[in-house]
């Protein structure tokens, strides 16, 4: 969808372990990946080195990008920038580092289904434990995002998609996320100190079991949208 060409400068924003950035590098793009989690950046660097790919991965904040204005031809963010606490700042920064006429492709979840409900349980528990609950920006809503884009002189369009998550069982799916997902890794000490970790686990597993689409294993389907943002030339 990004229509990347060899030699284009691409930022994988909130890149995690570099999935999108590595795809772009394989297509010949000049890739930079940024994420707030140092441990994920190390994985991304190791993956790029193992494939012999030219890609740079740095630790940084999506709300204060360490790049010059117009530094990139394209920005991609696969369910990443949507977790920035301040959506307005993150969107403004995304546009700032795009060249005039550049484009950004942002993957955003539609808030429905078992995975979203599970994440909601965890997020509410984090808010209660930290005393810092926050309202989620409606990235999925075309009207809300359209108004955000209009304030910054950009144009947005939307594409629909869906993805299935599968595992041996609801329990194994949750355990893998608990051990490896950035949100779970970061929040678990907080929930353990609050004494709510086990209750959260049981609530989340109940949701996953109820939403399971495969009676023999585990599979749930989540809908998403891809926002295409075009910066004015």
């Amino acid at each position: 969808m990004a229509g990347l060409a060899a030699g284009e400068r691409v930022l994988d924003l909130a890149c995690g372990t570099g999935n999108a950035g590595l795809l772009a590098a394989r297509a010949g793009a000049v890739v930079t990946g940024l994420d707030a989690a140092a441990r994920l950046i190390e994985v991304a660097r190791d993956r790029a080195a193992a494939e012999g790919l030219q890609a740079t991965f740095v630790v940084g904040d999506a709300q204060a990008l360490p790049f010059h204005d117009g530094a990139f031809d394209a920005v991609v963010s696969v369910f990443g920038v949507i977790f920035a606490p301040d959506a307005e700042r993150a969107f403004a920064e995304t546009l700032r580092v795009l060249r005039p006429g550049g484009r950004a492709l942002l993957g955003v979840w539609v808030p429905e289904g078992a995975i979203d409900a599970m994440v909601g349980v965890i997020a509410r528990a984090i808010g209660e434990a930290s005393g810092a609950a926050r309202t989620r920006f409606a990235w999925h809503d075309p009207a809300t995002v359209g108004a955000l884009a209009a304030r910054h002189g950009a144009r947005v369009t939307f594409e629909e998609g869906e993805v299935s998550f599968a595992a041996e069982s609801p329990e194994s799916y949750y355990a893998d996320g608990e051990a490896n997902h950035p949100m779970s890794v970061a929040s678990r000490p907080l929930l353990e100190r609050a004494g709510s970790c086990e209750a959260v686990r049981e609530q989340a597993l109940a949701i996953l079991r109820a939403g399971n689409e495969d009676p023999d294993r585990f599979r749930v389907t989540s809908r998403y949208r891809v926002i295409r943002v075009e910066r004015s030339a």
Side-chain angles (χ1 to χ4, degrees):
M1 291 178 66
L4 300 178
E8 284 198 299
R9 302 161 301 163
V10 178
L11 172 63
D12 182 2
L13 181 55
C15 64
T17 57
N19 289 345
L22 296 177
L23 285 171
R26 292 180 198 124
V30 179
V31 173
T32 302
L34 176 140
D35 199 277
R39 73 184 189 92
L40 302 184
I41 288 296
E42 286 302 319
V43 174
R45 289 171 178 163
D46 290 345
R47 293 177 69 194
E51 289 193 47
L53 294 172
Q54 295 299 310
T56 301
F57 292 96
V58 299
V59 177
D61 183 356
Q63 300 170 149
L65 295 173
F67 309 117
H68 296 301
D69 295 358
F72 299 99
D73 300 298
V75 174
V76 295
S77 186
V78 183
F79 311 118
V81 72
I82 58 173
F83 293 105
D86 189 329
E88 187 93 29
R89 282 177 59 193
F91 190 85
E93 281 291 274
T94 299
L95 285 178
R96 181 185 65 78
V97 301
L98 276 175
R99 65 166 174 78
R103 71 277 191 200
L105 284 294
L106 314 177
V108 306
W109 295 115
V110 175
E112 62 183 32
I115 299 297
D116 181 73
M118 177 195 71
V119 171
V121 165
I122 299 170
R124 285 190 294 274
I126 293 171
E128 291 170 2
S130 65
R134 64 184 179 87
T135 302
R136 294 164 64 181
F137 182 78
W139 284 104
H140 67 285
D141 181 56
T144 300
V145 176
L148 173 63
R151 290 197 294 273
H152 293 276
R155 189 171 73 89
V156 292
T157 54
F158 298 82
E159 296 284 343
E160 303 292 320
E162 65 178 31
V163 61
S164 292
F165 297 94
E168 287 297 319
S169 66
E171 293 76 14
S172 65
Y173 177 82
Y174 188 83
D176 182 67
E178 195 172 40
N180 297 298
H181 193 282
M183 184 174 77
S184 295
V185 171
S187 65
R188 186 169 181 177
L190 176 66
L191 298 181
E192 288 177 341
R193 288 194 298 271
S196 57
C197 197
E198 187 59 35
V200 168
R201 183 184 294 111
E202 288 307 313
Q203 290 179 56
L205 284 172
I207 290 168
L208 295 178
R209 291 167 186 145
N212 189 7
E213 301 163 9
D214 186 339
D216 299 319
R217 297 180 76 251
F218 173 72
R219 186 184 71 253
V220 292
T221 302
S222 295
R223 290 202 304 132
Y224 65 89
R225 294 190 172 105
V226 177
I227 307 170
R228 182 182 179 91
V229 185
E230 296 182 4
R231 181 179 174 183
S232 171

